[in-house]
Amino acid sequence: MSSREDTNPFERAHYQKINNARMEHLLSLNLPIEGRSVLELGAGIGDLSPFFIDRAHDILIIEGRSENIDILQKRYEKSEFPHVDIVQMDLDWAGREDIDGYDIVFCYGLLYHLKDPIKFLDWVVVHCNQYMILETCVSTCGDVNNLSENKGDITQSLNGIGCRPGRRWLFEELKKRFRYVYTPYTQPNHEQFPDDWVTTTDVLGLLTRSIFIASKYALNNGMLFEGLLDRQSIG
């Protein structure tokens, strides 16, 4: 007998494990979300979307793949979720200007599947009214660090080219666009999130993830450090 786990990679156990860690950590950051508008980018099949659907007054979900759009539209039907809109868009292009500005931009697990993160960040800052929550795989050195991905895999780059941006390079690129850039004192409790960036090195085949909060105004939040932390704790 086939199951959804057989047909959709996002339903597999390792995805659920990392999503649980991501959401537990995001909740612990106590970010101002209630009553705000949210732009979620690269949502996949929307496993992380409920966190914002339950809190935001208005949310636009953008996803690049039609297979995932079909699932999103079934999960978040307009009749049941009138404050949720869903749009298909290739975020490597990021050229649509008919998208409004949103208070919060939420982008987990997308940027490293794009070939041009600079163009993407240029588009994001225009459409972000307050702050961006960004999680991505990173490298410990270099800048864009493009690489090939399997575009036939719905969890990978839509266009077959991704990147592993240098963590420090990405922080500096965010600083060029947002007045304040923070790293959390903590990382999610998952093996892909290091807590010691001094000793972490790039290992072929292993993913290393980091989280950034980039804001247009100061966030008075004891969970966030304004700058790039070399060491974080897990939790």
Side-chain angles (χ1 to χ4, degrees), residues 210-222:
S210 188
I211 292 172
F212 306 87
I213 313 295
S215 180
K216 294 185 175 181
Y217 67 92
L219 294 173
N220 183 19
N221 187 317

Side-chain angles (χ1 to χ4, degrees), residues 19 31 49 74 141 171 205 221-222:
N19 283 341
L31 294 167
S49 304
K74 290 175 183 176
C141 59
F171 177 86
N221 187 317

Side-chain angles (χ1 to χ4, degrees), residues 9-223:
F10 287 111
E11 289 294 315
R12 293 173 184 162
H14 68 280
Y15 272 101
Q16 297 308 306
K17 179 182 177 183
I18 194 171
N19 283 341
N20 289 340
R22 285 164 160 169
M23 289 298 94
E24 288 177 7
H25 181 259
L26 184 57
L27 182 61
S28 76
L29 296 182
N30 196 30
L31 294 167
I33 297 169
E34 297 288 343
R36 287 168 167 79
S37 60
V38 174
L39 175 60
E40 181 180 3
L41 303 176
I45 61 171
D47 283 338
L48 306 183
S49 304
F51 183 89
F52 295 96
I53 290 174
D54 292 344
R55 293 167 172 80
H57 76 80
D58 182 29
I59 178 168
L60 174 62
I61 299 173
I62 293 182
E63 166 58 30
R65 291 186 179 270
S66 59
E67 309 97 306
N68 296 336
I69 288 288
D70 290 342
I71 295 173
L72 284 165
Q73 290 174 337
K74 290 175 183 176
R75 293 182 76 174
Y76 306 118
E77 292 184 5
K78 198 67 177 175
S79 59
E80 186 175 355
F81 301 96
H83 64 306
V84 178
D85 290 306
I86 299 167
V87 169
Q88 184 175 355
M89 175 177 162
D90 180 357
L91 287 160
D92 244 329
W93 176 51
R96 286 185 57 166
E97 296 306 326
D98 59 336
I99 304 296
D100 292 333
Y102 285 75
D103 297 329
I104 302 167
V105 174
F106 176 66
C107 180
Y108 268 36
L110 168 71
L111 185 138
Y112 69 101
H113 294 310
L114 304 178
K115 65 181 178 181
D116 193 345
I118 293 177
K119 184 177 180 181
F120 172 72
L121 291 176
D122 285 341
W123 185 87
V124 165
V125 72
V126 172
H127 294 83
C128 179
N129 295 337
Q130 296 183 8
Y131 67 91
M132 177 186 192
I133 315 169
L134 173 66
E135 183 256 58
T136 182
C137 289
V138 294
S139 173
T140 59
C141 59
D143 43 38
V144 176
N145 298 321
N146 284 125
L147 76 173
S148 297
E149 292 192 3
N150 178 10
K151 64 181 180 181
D153 183 338
I154 66 169
T155 71
Q156 300 296 299
S157 169
L158 184 63
N159 300 298
I161 302 175
C163 66
R164 295 294 183 270
R167 183 171 178 261
R168 184 166 295 278
W169 174 86
L170 181 54
F171 177 86
E172 295 299 333
E173 289 298 322
L174 289 168
K175 281 289 290 182
K176 293 175 183 178
R177 295 163 176 81
F178 292 86
R179 185 170 181 181
Y180 301 92
V181 183
Y182 303 89
T183 45
Y185 284 105
T186 59
Q187 284 267 72
N189 185 14
H190 187 276
E191 58 267 20
Q192 292 181 7
F193 291 89
D195 59 352
D196 187 342
W197 294 96
V198 176
T199 60
T200 295
T201 57
D202 297 333
V203 177
L204 185 64
L206 297 182
L207 300 179
T208 302
R209 298 177 185 267
S210 188
I211 292 172
F212 306 87
I213 313 295
S215 180
K216 294 185 175 181
Y217 67 92
L219 294 173
N220 183 19
N221 187 317
M223 297 297 295

